[in-house]
Amino acid sequence: MLMKVLRVFVCLAAIASFSISFAGCGSPVAGADKREGHESVSAPIGSDAQTEYMAYTETAALNDSYMTQLNNELSGVNVDADFVNRVTEDRQITAEEMNEAERRAINCLSKYGLVPNENFWFGKNTGFIVDENALSDSDTNKVDDECLYNTGYAALKSVYLNAVRNPNNIDLDPYRFQCYKDYKLIDQDYSYEQFKQELDNGKSPLSYIRSSSTPGYDDFMECVTDPLHHMKSK
């Protein structure tokens, strides 16, 4: 089954800057804005695809930095800012509101014959994956913009995930490093300074993690995206 992987929701800069460089930003299955890529109920091999929908359970509180991030996410001229502003006027995104945002996106996609877990998936952290037989390239680009971005879903998901995982928007790099050690992904003798120095020199002790088939990949992705272990759902 050939798939297209569309624009990412969240740019996981930590993958490129603090761990290893996958192609693009945020996803090991495609680069940012790279337009690559019917009958399946299984998530595509090699992807971080969601298998459950409207299943958020937590509330994200939005501090000033996350409100600023949200405003930046709303810079697109066609984004439904009214919906997003209604959701976030109390400076939080509840699980119910996030589920509603995802429902809006899925309802929009259904107009094009797209069914979750059959011919499209949202990424757990990033991306939108669609069976290339479901849509033409031109329709795929149109649907991506209309249903993920213009509905406000992508903006809300980006900020929501960051705010739940890192409520105070602190520097997560030291916590990622400790997480790597806790999961025994790197040598226990490494110091934080030594690790950073290797990265500055273009090297990484995590370079052996290349794809979702690599042992330790799931632990690595948890360390990158949620090193404080705050995310209970998704």
Side-chain angles (χ1 to χ4, degrees):
M1 178 174 60
L2 298 175
M3 310 300 295
K4 303 170 189 172
V5 185
L6 305 189
R7 291 178 295 186
V8 296
F9 297 145
V10 186
C11 180
L12 298 178
I15 291 179
S17 66
F18 194 69
S19 41
I20 62 177
S21 294
F22 288 121
C25 178
S27 173
V29 292
D33 289 319
K34 188 175 182 180
R35 310 264 180 187
E36 301 174 355
H38 174 93
E39 307 175 344
S40 177
V41 294
S42 299
I45 296 173
S47 72
D48 294 301
Q50 283 180 215
T51 55
E52 294 182 278
Y53 296 87
M54 285 78 77
Y56 292 95
T57 61
E58 300 170 59
T59 293
L62 307 181
N63 60 19
D64 288 346
S65 62
Y66 286 127
M67 291 300 293
T68 297
Q69 179 189 335
L70 182 65
N71 289 332
N72 291 336
E73 296 282 350
L74 295 179
S75 59
V77 294
N78 294 317
V79 175
D80 188 350
D82 288 342
F83 170 71
V84 174
N85 289 333
R86 284 197 303 273
V87 167
T88 59
E89 61 184 355
D90 56 356
R91 295 175 68 95
Q92 64 178 14
I93 305 171
T94 66
E96 291 77 12
E97 289 167 335
M98 197 62 231
N99 288 331
E100 175 59 20
E102 189 161 84
R103 187 178 295 108
R104 281 162 49 95
I106 290 173
N107 287 344
C108 178
L109 291 165
S110 71
K111 297 186 301 183
Y112 296 91
L114 297 177
V115 180
N117 288 344
E118 181 176 311
N119 52 20
F120 89 85
W121 292 259
F122 294 145
K124 292 178 182 178
N125 301 294
T126 67
F128 169 49
I129 307 163
V130 61
D131 181 353
E132 74 165 10
N133 295 315
L135 295 171
S136 68
D137 287 344
S138 59
D139 281 344
T140 296
N141 295 344
K142 173 186 175 183
V143 167
D144 184 26
D145 288 335
E146 178 184 343
C147 297
L148 277 64
Y149 287 86
N150 295 352
T151 61
Y153 172 60
L156 287 169
K157 182 172 183 175
S158 174
V159 175
Y160 175 89
L161 291 178
N162 287 341
V164 169
R165 291 166 171 165
N166 185 8
N168 298 315
N169 203 17
I170 61 174
D171 178 8
L172 292 178
D173 282 354
Y175 298 93
R176 290 189 178 102
F177 172 75
Q178 186 57 49
C179 184
Y180 298 145
K181 296 187 78 170
D182 290 345
Y183 283 130
K184 297 181 171 56
L185 299 176
I186 59 175
D187 194 305
Q188 298 298 297
D189 293 334
Y190 264 108
S191 69
Y192 180 58
E193 291 71 22
Q194 181 183 4
F195 186 70
K196 287 199 301 181
Q197 184 62 51
E198 287 210 10
L199 294 178
D200 290 342
N201 292 334
K203 301 178 181 178
S204 171
L206 293 163
S207 60
Y208 66 93
I209 301 177
R210 293 295 181 185
S211 72
S212 60
S213 62
T214 303
Y217 173 84
D218 289 341
D219 291 337
F220 166 74
M221 286 304 297
E222 180 182 342
C223 291
V224 170
T225 61
D226 189 21
L228 300 178
H229 311 297
H230 282 162
M231 199 77 186
K232 299 179 181 65
S233 63
K234 294 293 176 188

